[in-house]
Amino acid sequence: MSTSTALHTDRYELTMIDAALRDGTAHRRCLFEVFARRLPGARRYGIVAGTGRLLSLIADLRFGDRELEWLRAERVVSERTLDWLADYRFSGSIDGYREGEVYFPNSPLLTVEASFAEGVLLETLALSVLNFDSAVANAATRMVTAAAGRPLAEMGSRRANEEAAIAASRAAYIAGFGATSNLEAGLRWGVPTMGTAAHAFTLLHDSEEEAFRAQVDALGPSTTLLVDTYDVQKGVETAVRVAGTELGAVRLDSGDLPVLVSEVRQQLDALGARNTKITVTNDLDEFTIAALSPSPVDSFGVGTSLVTGSGSPAASMVYKLVARRDDDSEEWTPVAKASAGKVSRGGRKSAVRRLDAAGKASAEVVRVLGSEPRERAFETRDASERGLIVPLVTDGVADERYLGADGTRAARAHRESAVAELPLGALRLSRGEPVLETILE
Amino acid sequence: MSTSTALHTDRYELTMIDAALRDGTAHRRCLFEVFARRLPGARRYGIVAGTGRLLSLIADLRFGDRELEWLRAERVVSERTLDWLADYRFSGSIDGYREGEVYFPNSPLLTVEASFAEGVLLETLALSVLNFDSAVANAATRMVTAAAGRPLAEMGSRRANEEAAIAASRAAYIAGFGATSNLEAGLRWGVPTMGTAAHAFTLLHDSEEEAFRAQVDALGPSTTLLVDTYDVQKGVETAVRVAGTELGAVRLDSGDLPVLVSEVRQQLDALGARNTKITVTNDLDEFTIAALSPSPVDSFGVGTSLVTGSGSPAASMVYKLVARRDDDSEEWTPVAKASAGKVSRGGRKSAVRRLDAAGKASAEVVRVLGSEPRERAFETRDASERGLIVPLVTDGVADERYLGADGTRAARAHRESAVAELPLGALRLSRGEPVLETILE
């Protein structure tokens, strides 16, 4: 596997740099913006995820011999461009929404200020990271709402590309999941990991009882036993007999869950295993989780629907050139594709969440700053506004608070407070309009 | 980024190994099988993709210090298990469908024969690779059908995780796409790459004409000019004026395509640019591609819908223990979860595609071999059958023909011949039943 993401890039980015180096426009100062024109799945709000991963990938983006030799052999760009790529280090600045922040259509999620060449090179990488991670976070935050305080674990690695799986674990954690089955997500991002045994472990043994005994011997009675390989009722009985009434939990991965869960709860209680929890993992999504709310389920494990964005597997974010500086000017010239809609998106923007007297969010306000200095993007007008944009990278140096496992935990905390600020309508699972209007001032 | 996939693994795989090493069952010989119970999206057939990638990842799977130290610190498994993991190399054998092969529900796509511990460790990795890559191939093969011979390029990297994007490029190429925008897919897998410029390049310049001139200066008149940044009609006129009538192609990325494409074709012809091609890239999927079949489109670029499986972003494949050998036996004991359905899946299987006199496929036949030797899985009964299962890994050594760029090209060729063998009903885009019945003998 490659350890450079330099070529995780669409070919047209390099051919544009090649042509722009040739005619001198490559060095024009540019503002690129990441935003979403809509919330896929007709959801009420979105959650930004991927930022911390992206900042690290940008900081590490280098063209090594492997990449340069291949580009030369394939004649993708000229020698001059190869020289420029060999020296590439992102030296621009990036402002944007914190990871874990709530967003809406046209929220200016990321603003990249750099030369055209430095900025355009990031297009594919930025969108790959943000579109996938946010798609998972957008699904996950709804599942967290549906679970109404009961813990959720991410178990979808097997239904996502092997690297995407790790990003998905991290995004789900940011959006409020408590754990993941994926060990690499634990190592790389500090996400708590969980998991005990699959049906294969029971089938490996000569009897369910032998399998349970082996598991309890290795992991202790506080483990979670999977009780639906053969007959659930017998499985529960055997589980309590082997592990005792201090058995940690039983897991159900099949069957008619609302009925089954109630029966298992009654059986556990009758056996004296009143503290033994029930976890369910059977093809759940936010809707089936919500449907289980009256059932005595203690925790949920979610797989496929989580890592595939529960019907919306990409977050529809785009990376657009919104302003450029002409060679001899200090002013930004706003630019936009004619078909992009009526709203002018030119120039630098600030964004605030307007709060009512009770501290609840009432609007997303985006202000076009034109050629005003960068610092204005971070300002609010008064206490009725919460500023949404923070400096993420300054002159090529990322703010360390947003990186690594610490940044991931901070993003998780931020999501919780940002969602708590939303009006109740945000938590509806049905299709509908964004819960806040985005006002362009 | 990690360069080991050892922890791209669900925690329960390691805890099962831990418990099985403790009670001695870890070394029981096991058969694990990958299959899909259904074709998501109610499609007519599936395309196996990911096999070549998976075989390389399995061959390279090692637990290094980074992984072992983390597992020790987190107390995931015992010291004995850490020692076992430190020595891990897959030494088993894997048989299965060739990459690029057509498949149906219950086709035995992969059979892993190994000790329980060696085999169970591969569950997540195998499913991550096959479920994602096959989901993309399943969408891509339908788009290839819809395009009816016109070339397709994969352009969806920005809508997939940054590593998944490369796997998606490769899977689309196997399924018949001709090129990708993703440079790393070119470097790593030999997929032809393409791309010239985005709207940002036009917006960077003071005029569309200057942008076109810069691009033609750098890439020559055979380039593809993107003509819909401002006004398409003016864009086409400017493009031909700048590049001449030998302009390679114009690209349309927005608008009402059937109408627009016809207008642009007429305009190009009227300007004398009769050889200039038209490529479209506007949010396409297999249905919009099919709808454009009467239009003078020369090629298609497909993004989001391709890399997200066009509504079915994971291929529903599972990895199940289907048989084990007891410690003192040469016989396979078939095993299955009680709720898995009526069909016994126990033991080793062979699979053939039954062909009629005209060479068209008429059925998928899966034969349970029980305890017969491995070689029987590769056999056919007569010339009316095409054998589907080949040895992929023998005693830990992968067949090199399936690896790398050469393996990828071979998979692409195999898909073409396997799809050509299907009855015409396979090519219908509507929802329906698998075009061949899977017969279990």
Side-chain angles (χ1 to χ4, degrees), chain B residues 51-69:
Chain B
T51 320
R53 289 206 314 115
L54 176 62
L55 298 184
S56 292
L57 291 170
I58 291 173
D60 294 341
L61 204 164
R62 300 281 185 279
F63 288 80
D65 290 344
R66 169 181 178 274
E67 292 78 28
L68 294 169
E69 281 164 20

mmCIF file of all heavy atoms in Angstrom, chain B residues 51-69:
data_model
loop_
_atom_site.group_PDB
_atom_site.id
_atom_site.type_symbol
_atom_site.label_atom_id
_atom_site.label_comp_id
_atom_site.label_asym_id
_atom_site.label_seq_id
_atom_site.Cartn_x
_atom_site.Cartn_y
_atom_site.Cartn_z
ATOM 1 N N THR B 51 -10.509 -9.771 -5.772
ATOM 2 C CA THR B 51 -9.734 -10.982 -5.473
ATOM 3 C C THR B 51 -8.225 -10.741 -5.533
ATOM 4 O O THR B 51 -7.490 -11.125 -4.617
ATOM 5 C CB THR B 51 -10.125 -12.106 -6.460
ATOM 6 O OG1 THR B 51 -11.542 -12.063 -6.661
ATOM 7 C CG2 THR B 51 -9.697 -13.454 -5.938
ATOM 8 N N GLY B 52 -7.776 -10.100 -6.612
ATOM 9 C CA GLY B 52 -6.335 -9.865 -6.757
ATOM 10 C C GLY B 52 -5.780 -8.990 -5.651
ATOM 11 O O GLY B 52 -4.687 -9.231 -5.117
ATOM 12 N N ARG B 53 -6.537 -7.969 -5.290
ATOM 13 C CA ARG B 53 -6.127 -7.116 -4.163
ATOM 14 C C ARG B 53 -6.064 -7.926 -2.882
ATOM 15 O O ARG B 53 -5.125 -7.804 -2.087
ATOM 16 C CB ARG B 53 -7.135 -5.980 -3.962
ATOM 17 C CG ARG B 53 -7.116 -4.938 -4.997
ATOM 18 C CD ARG B 53 -7.619 -3.577 -4.505
ATOM 19 N NE ARG B 53 -8.828 -3.563 -3.725
ATOM 20 C CZ ARG B 53 -8.886 -3.193 -2.447
ATOM 21 N NH1 ARG B 53 -7.801 -2.814 -1.794
ATOM 22 N NH2 ARG B 53 -10.042 -3.171 -1.804
ATOM 23 N N LEU B 54 -7.085 -8.730 -2.670
ATOM 24 C CA LEU B 54 -7.160 -9.499 -1.429
ATOM 25 C C LEU B 54 -5.996 -10.474 -1.314
ATOM 26 O O LEU B 54 -5.389 -10.601 -0.237
ATOM 27 C CB LEU B 54 -8.493 -10.248 -1.369
ATOM 28 C CG LEU B 54 -8.673 -11.172 -0.164
ATOM 29 C CD1 LEU B 54 -8.636 -10.393 1.138
ATOM 30 C CD2 LEU B 54 -9.980 -11.954 -0.278
ATOM 31 N N LEU B 55 -5.672 -11.157 -2.401
ATOM 32 C CA LEU B 55 -4.590 -12.151 -2.320
ATOM 33 C C LEU B 55 -3.273 -11.478 -1.928
ATOM 34 O O LEU B 55 -2.500 -12.032 -1.133
ATOM 35 C CB LEU B 55 -4.444 -12.883 -3.653
ATOM 36 C CG LEU B 55 -5.666 -13.702 -4.113
ATOM 37 C CD1 LEU B 55 -5.341 -14.443 -5.409
ATOM 38 C CD2 LEU B 55 -6.152 -14.669 -3.049
ATOM 39 N N SER B 56 -3.017 -10.288 -2.457
ATOM 40 C CA SER B 56 -1.790 -9.567 -2.068
ATOM 41 C C SER B 56 -1.829 -9.153 -0.603
ATOM 42 O O SER B 56 -0.821 -9.249 0.109
ATOM 43 C CB SER B 56 -1.612 -8.311 -2.928
ATOM 44 O OG SER B 56 -1.342 -8.667 -4.252
ATOM 45 N N LEU B 57 -2.979 -8.681 -0.154
ATOM 46 C CA LEU B 57 -3.088 -8.243 1.239
ATOM 47 C C LEU B 57 -2.904 -9.422 2.193
ATOM 48 O O LEU B 57 -2.270 -9.287 3.246
ATOM 49 C CB LEU B 57 -4.446 -7.562 1.478
ATOM 50 C CG LEU B 57 -4.617 -6.212 0.790
ATOM 51 C CD1 LEU B 57 -6.072 -5.737 0.876
ATOM 52 C CD2 LEU B 57 -3.687 -5.154 1.403
ATOM 53 N N ILE B 58 -3.449 -10.576 1.823
ATOM 54 C CA ILE B 58 -3.277 -11.762 2.676
ATOM 55 C C ILE B 58 -1.807 -12.185 2.709
ATOM 56 O O ILE B 58 -1.263 -12.500 3.768
ATOM 57 C CB ILE B 58 -4.177 -12.915 2.179
ATOM 58 C CG1 ILE B 58 -5.654 -12.573 2.432
ATOM 59 C CG2 ILE B 58 -3.799 -14.236 2.861
ATOM 60 C CD1 ILE B 58 -6.634 -13.570 1.827
ATOM 61 N N ALA B 59 -1.160 -12.169 1.546
ATOM 62 C CA ALA B 59 0.253 -12.580 1.503
ATOM 63 C C ALA B 59 1.116 -11.672 2.373
ATOM 64 O O ALA B 59 2.115 -12.107 2.948
ATOM 65 C CB ALA B 59 0.750 -12.567 0.050
ATOM 66 N N ASP B 60 0.732 -10.394 2.457
ATOM 67 C CA ASP B 60 1.538 -9.419 3.206
ATOM 68 C C ASP B 60 1.094 -9.264 4.658
ATOM 69 O O ASP B 60 1.662 -8.445 5.392
ATOM 70 C CB ASP B 60 1.427 -8.041 2.529
ATOM 71 C CG ASP B 60 2.065 -8.038 1.146
ATOM 72 O OD1 ASP B 60 2.879 -8.945 0.873
ATOM 73 O OD2 ASP B 60 1.747 -7.141 0.353
ATOM 74 N N LEU B 61 0.097 -10.010 5.082
ATOM 75 C CA LEU B 61 -0.464 -9.774 6.412
ATOM 76 C C LEU B 61 0.511 -10.234 7.502
ATOM 77 O O LEU B 61 0.786 -11.425 7.654
ATOM 78 C CB LEU B 61 -1.809 -10.515 6.533
ATOM 79 C CG LEU B 61 -2.800 -9.975 7.556
ATOM 80 C CD1 LEU B 61 -4.192 -10.533 7.282
ATOM 81 C CD2 LEU B 61 -2.410 -10.238 8.977
ATOM 82 N N ARG B 62 1.025 -9.282 8.237
ATOM 83 C CA ARG B 62 1.968 -9.546 9.334
ATOM 84 C C ARG B 62 1.629 -8.652 10.518
ATOM 85 O O ARG B 62 1.234 -7.497 10.331
ATOM 86 C CB ARG B 62 3.399 -9.181 8.918
ATOM 87 C CG ARG B 62 3.947 -9.916 7.734
ATOM 88 C CD ARG B 62 4.418 -11.323 8.087
ATOM 89 N NE ARG B 62 5.040 -11.908 6.920
ATOM 90 C CZ ARG B 62 4.367 -12.465 5.901
ATOM 91 N NH1 ARG B 62 3.050 -12.503 5.916
ATOM 92 N NH2 ARG B 62 5.023 -12.976 4.878
ATOM 93 N N PHE B 63 1.833 -9.171 11.698
ATOM 94 C CA PHE B 63 1.711 -8.353 12.903
ATOM 95 C C PHE B 63 3.101 -7.837 13.258
ATOM 96 O O PHE B 63 3.985 -8.626 13.606
ATOM 97 C CB PHE B 63 1.126 -9.162 14.052
ATOM 98 C CG PHE B 63 -0.329 -9.452 13.889
ATOM 99 C CD1 PHE B 63 -0.757 -10.488 13.069
ATOM 100 C CD2 PHE B 63 -1.279 -8.660 14.515
ATOM 101 C CE1 PHE B 63 -2.109 -10.751 12.901
ATOM 102 C CE2 PHE B 63 -2.635 -8.910 14.346
ATOM 103 C CZ PHE B 63 -3.052 -9.959 13.536
ATOM 104 N N GLY B 64 3.292 -6.543 13.138
ATOM 105 C CA GLY B 64 4.573 -5.946 13.482
ATOM 106 C C GLY B 64 4.565 -5.405 14.905
ATOM 107 O O GLY B 64 3.576 -5.526 15.640
ATOM 108 N N ASP B 65 5.661 -4.798 15.300
ATOM 109 C CA ASP B 65 5.770 -4.266 16.662
ATOM 110 C C ASP B 65 4.668 -3.265 16.977
ATOM 111 O O ASP B 65 4.135 -3.243 18.091
ATOM 112 C CB ASP B 65 7.142 -3.590 16.842
ATOM 113 C CG ASP B 65 8.260 -4.618 16.859
ATOM 114 O OD1 ASP B 65 7.968 -5.814 17.030
ATOM 115 O OD2 ASP B 65 9.430 -4.216 16.683
ATOM 116 N N ARG B 66 4.403 -2.394 15.984
ATOM 117 C CA ARG B 66 3.362 -1.388 16.197
ATOM 118 C C ARG B 66 2.055 -2.044 16.621
ATOM 119 O O ARG B 66 1.419 -1.623 17.603
ATOM 120 C CB ARG B 66 3.164 -0.634 14.881
ATOM 121 C CG ARG B 66 1.958 0.272 14.799
ATOM 122 C CD ARG B 66 1.912 0.914 13.402
ATOM 123 N NE ARG B 66 0.755 1.758 13.213
ATOM 124 C CZ ARG B 66 -0.441 1.296 12.804
ATOM 125 N NH1 ARG B 66 -0.636 0.016 12.575
ATOM 126 N NH2 ARG B 66 -1.442 2.151 12.644
ATOM 127 N N GLU B 67 1.643 -3.088 15.923
ATOM 128 C CA GLU B 67 0.370 -3.741 16.206
ATOM 129 C C GLU B 67 0.437 -4.538 17.514
ATOM 130 O O GLU B 67 -0.476 -4.484 18.341
ATOM 131 C CB GLU B 67 -0.023 -4.671 15.052
ATOM 132 C CG GLU B 67 -0.382 -3.945 13.749
ATOM 133 C CD GLU B 67 0.812 -3.465 12.949
ATOM 134 O OE1 GLU B 67 1.885 -4.092 13.052
ATOM 135 O OE2 GLU B 67 0.703 -2.451 12.227
ATOM 136 N N LEU B 68 1.530 -5.290 17.682
ATOM 137 C CA LEU B 68 1.628 -6.154 18.866
ATOM 138 C C LEU B 68 1.709 -5.338 20.153
ATOM 139 O O LEU B 68 1.108 -5.695 21.166
ATOM 140 C CB LEU B 68 2.844 -7.082 18.721
ATOM 141 C CG LEU B 68 2.721 -8.098 17.574
ATOM 142 C CD1 LEU B 68 4.068 -8.777 17.324
ATOM 143 C CD2 LEU B 68 1.642 -9.144 17.871
ATOM 144 N N GLU B 69 2.451 -4.237 20.099
ATOM 145 C CA GLU B 69 2.566 -3.416 21.314
ATOM 146 C C GLU B 69 1.228 -2.805 21.694
ATOM 147 O O GLU B 69 0.885 -2.707 22.875
ATOM 148 C CB GLU B 69 3.628 -2.328 21.105
ATOM 149 C CG GLU B 69 5.036 -2.892 21.279
ATOM 150 C CD GLU B 69 6.110 -1.974 20.709
ATOM 151 O OE1 GLU B 69 5.832 -0.774 20.530
ATOM 152 O OE2 GLU B 69 7.216 -2.482 20.422
#
